[in-house]
Amino acid sequence: MLRNARSFRRSWTDLADFLPLVPKQTVSMNEGTSVWNRFQSSAPEEAGEQPSTSGRSEAVRTMFPHTVVEETQHPIRQADVSHQAWVVLSKLRNAGHVAFLVGGTVRDLILGRTPKDIDIITSAELNQVKKLFDRCVIIGRRFPICTINSGQKDVEVSSFSTGVPTHIVLPPDMNQLLTPAKNHARANLEKIYGKAVTWAEARQMNARKRDFTVNSLFYDPCSQVIFDYTGGMDDLKRRRLATIGNPIASFEEDPARILRAIRFAGRVGLTIDEKTVEAMVELGGTVLKIPEQRAQLEVHSILGYGYAKVSMELMWKHRVLNHIFPSLVEFLKKSGHSQDEPLRNCLLLDLLGALDNQVQLSKPADEAVVAALLAAPLIGSSFQTLRIKLKNGKQNKSSKDSAISRVMAQPENVVYSTLTRGVLESLARPYRGYNLVTKVNLQKASKLLYFVKGYRDAEVLKGFQPEKKMIMSILGAKSVAWDKKTDLRDVLG
């Protein structure tokens, strides 16, 4: 009976919500490829045209139609879902809860990519989820989730009840109602909707609260259908990234979405919608309202997972870089680059491209390595300026009592270390009291740059073996000529 769950699938009633999760026999890769080709070719655009970034109808943006995408109309197959996801989904279903794959996991599976994270949403409360799994912790305050350690990759489980005054239960009479936990919550819900809430409405409410349309899709691996309430499938066909609803309101609600837009566009290869771009430029400064720790995580997610070069180009193009790394923007402009043009042919992109070649989603770069590579072009430029001043000071006898003469009296390694720390600190602090790189990682980045230069004292050599190997392979390359860029031996002493 369970193996014939497919015959019970009726998208308008979600009968699969009440069936235990048992994988069916999967289709061949060839069939999956042909479905993907049909999915791609169904995009409503003429051959040869670039997808529009602002042509979606207002009806789609405002009405949020309920679209059920059947198994034959999307490329995801049960074999694409990881073992860890199946384990969690099965345990939740067998305990009587509804569970779907959601968000970036569904997006990446549709695009034929390996998901960076496994995201699941369930009708269970988080404390119920925690009781089902041994290695499970609840994290987060504003939007708490359960993180389940199930092997190589953690599974993140959220609840339909998070952020709404309702509690989802499995109705015994199978009428698929979302029942509020308390009478006053039921009254509030009925006041808003005028009726009890169905599972479809529960999914729709959750989808509307997400950041981008392509991240708002639900996938049921049992019935193999996708639920789309925001036009996300259409945006994926067009490879377009757009907020759900008004982008100004979306970014005002959560400024971190500006950084997430850069991350998704860079990693997935999406074109950001024109209205979304306009809102990003207008509200770019609000990214500094993000809590410091979260901003550090977002910046590392952008630059540390193998897509740093294209993400840097996007941050430059959309003026996001002006707010998080203003000293880097100032350096690039002084080097002759204009933000009215794409960022091309510069040492920064070369270094980030070399970094991308050495990291992957499962093995990201250390934050200190990223900080060191971002600072490297500024350090090289600072040394060139200092070299000129030192040469002039050496020729000018009247400068013996000046600051230049005091620098000239220092050993080269002291000058290098002092200047490197100064550049790193100015880079990591876009304004006073706000740190985009932690103090620990700043110190680590400074030591790594000290090591690359060849100053191998006992303190520098302690630990950091993978990081030292990576930074040396990038800055030690002949094309970079780091030692030559930072050489002051002939003008010191």
Side-chain angles (χ1 to χ4, degrees):
M1 176 179 175
L2 293 177
R3 291 189 177 276
N4 292 325
R6 183 175 182 179
S7 63
F8 290 91
R9 173 165 34 95
R10 296 179 184 175
S11 25
W12 57 277
T13 56
D14 294 349
L15 287 180
D17 286 351
F18 301 93
L19 296 174
L21 197 60
V22 178
K24 301 176 294 182
Q25 184 176 357
T26 57
V27 299
S28 67
M29 290 299 293
N30 290 336
E31 181 180 343
T33 303
S34 67
V35 172
W36 170 246
N37 291 337
R38 293 199 301 272
F39 172 75
Q40 288 281 65
S41 63
S42 65
E45 58 188 65
E46 296 182 8
E49 283 191 345
Q50 292 296 321
S52 169
T53 58
S54 60
R56 181 148 36 116
S57 67
E58 287 301 316
V60 174
R61 291 186 182 277
T62 57
M63 294 178 62
F64 299 104
H66 176 187
T67 300
V68 176
V69 185
E70 299 286 346
E71 174 188 355
T72 57
Q73 299 301 316
H74 66 77
I76 304 179
R77 294 294 172 261
Q78 289 179 328
D80 300 331
V81 180
S82 69
H83 173 72
Q84 294 98 322
W86 278 116
V87 169
V88 176
L89 287 165
S90 298
K91 204 161 188 177
L92 288 168
R93 289 291 182 93
N94 291 335
H97 304 294
V98 177
F100 303 95
L101 289 174
V102 71
T105 304
V106 182
R107 177 201 68 218
D108 288 348
L109 288 174
I110 291 173
L111 294 174
R113 306 171 64 92
T114 300
K116 175 178 173 288
D117 303 305
I118 301 174
D119 299 315
I120 292 174
I121 190 166
T122 179
S123 59
E125 292 287 338
L126 295 185
N127 59 351
Q128 294 176 311
V129 176
K130 187 176 181 180
K131 290 178 182 179
L132 287 174
F133 299 92
D134 295 332
R135 293 179 293 179
C136 176
V137 294
I138 299 176
I139 61 173
R141 293 183 180 179
R142 186 181 177 191
F143 297 106
I145 61 171
C146 280
T147 299
I148 302 171
N149 187 335
S150 62
Q152 296 179 345
K153 188 180 293 186
D154 288 346
V155 179
E156 296 182 354
V157 181
S158 58
S159 173
F160 275 107
S161 64
T162 300
V164 294
T166 57
H167 172 67
I168 297 177
V169 297
L170 191 64
D173 57 354
M174 293 184 68
N175 61 1
Q176 296 173 276
L177 296 180
L178 176 61
T179 307
K182 300 179 181 179
N183 290 334
H184 72 270
R186 180 192 294 273
N188 289 340
L189 204 63
E190 292 182 353
K191 181 178 180 181
I192 295 173
Y193 293 99
K195 59 180 180 179
V197 179
T198 66
W199 281 116
E201 289 169 328
R203 289 192 297 267
Q204 187 179 53
M205 286 191 297
N206 186 274
R208 290 186 184 185
K209 295 183 180 206
R210 295 182 178 270
D211 48 11
F212 302 100
T213 60
V214 297
N215 292 339
S216 65
L217 302 171
F218 297 81
Y219 174 61
D220 181 358
C222 183
S223 62
Q224 296 196 73
V225 298
I226 292 175
F227 299 97
D228 178 12
Y229 301 92
T230 65
M233 290 296 288
D234 180 57
D235 281 344
L236 280 177
K237 292 175 187 178
R238 298 173 181 270
R239 301 194 73 87
R240 176 176 55 196
L241 186 70
T243 60
I244 296 173
N246 188 314
I248 293 287
S250 179
F251 293 145
E252 286 178 340
E253 179 184 358
D254 185 2
R257 290 173 178 172
I258 295 174
L259 298 179
R260 289 166 64 83
I262 296 292
R263 172 155 60 97
F264 296 139
R267 187 171 80 82
V268 184
L270 303 176
T271 300
I272 304 178
D273 174 78
E274 287 181 5
K275 291 184 178 180
T276 303
V277 168
E278 291 173 2
M280 289 171 65
V281 174
E282 181 178 341
L283 299 176
T286 61
V287 296
L288 297 179
K289 294 181 179 179
I290 305 171
E292 197 174 85
Q293 189 174 11
R294 186 183 179 193
Q296 292 165 359
L297 291 173
E298 291 290 350
V299 170
H300 183 244
S301 296
I302 291 172
L303 299 172
Y305 285 81
Y307 300 89
K309 182 178 179 180
V310 64
S311 298
M312 180 59 67
E313 292 172 344
L314 288 170
M315 286 193 289
W316 170 262
K317 177 181 179 182
H318 300 315
R319 308 299 199 271
V320 176
L321 198 64
N322 300 37
H323 306 288
I324 58 174
F325 293 123
S327 60
L328 203 54
V329 172
E330 183 181 357
F331 160 74
L332 290 170
K333 288 182 177 179
K334 287 182 179 179
S335 301
H337 298 280
S338 170
Q339 283 193 290
D340 294 329
E341 299 176 357
L343 187 61
R344 295 286 187 272
N345 304 321
C346 65
L347 176 61
L348 176 63
L349 292 184
D350 293 340
L351 296 178
L352 294 179
L355 175 67
D356 291 340
N357 293 333
Q358 298 195 37
V359 300
Q360 50 190 341
L361 289 177
S362 58
K363 294 182 179 180
D366 188 90
E367 292 179 55
V369 173
V370 175
L373 293 178
L374 290 176
L378 283 74
I379 295 170
S381 175
S382 298
F383 264 85
Q384 290 177 10
T385 303
L386 180 60
R387 182 183 179 83
I388 293 172
K389 290 183 177 180
L390 289 175
K391 272 190 173 183
N392 293 337
K394 204 169 186 180
Q395 294 171 1
N396 186 357
K397 295 181 179 180
S398 63
S399 65
K400 288 183 179 180
D401 296 329
S402 67
I404 292 296
S405 66
R406 291 195 296 273
V407 172
M408 291 172 62
Q410 299 292 329
E412 184 191 16
N413 65 327
V414 174
V415 176
Y416 178 83
S417 178
T418 303
L419 186 58
T420 297
R421 286 200 305 269
V423 171
L424 280 167
E425 289 177 1
S426 67
L427 177 73
R429 297 188 178 107
Y431 69 88
R432 189 174 181 179
Y434 193 88
N435 302 299
L436 282 176
V437 183
T438 64
K439 184 177 180 179
V440 171
N441 283 317
L442 276 180
Q443 293 173 345
K444 190 174 178 180
S446 179
K447 291 178 180 180
L448 289 172
L449 290 166
Y450 197 69
F451 169 77
V452 173
K453 183 64 177 170
Y455 306 127
R456 296 173 171 83
D457 62 12
E459 181 185 4
V460 173
L461 286 174
K462 187 183 293 184
F464 309 158
Q465 293 301 331
E467 294 89 340
K468 287 191 294 188
K469 183 178 179 180
M470 181 177 290
I471 199 78
M472 179 61 82
S473 67
I474 297 174
L475 289 182
K478 290 183 179 180
S479 59
V480 177
W482 182 249
D483 191 60
K484 185 177 180 180
K485 281 183 171 62
T486 56
D487 188 5
L488 296 175
R489 283 168 289 190
D490 62 332
V491 291
L492 287 175

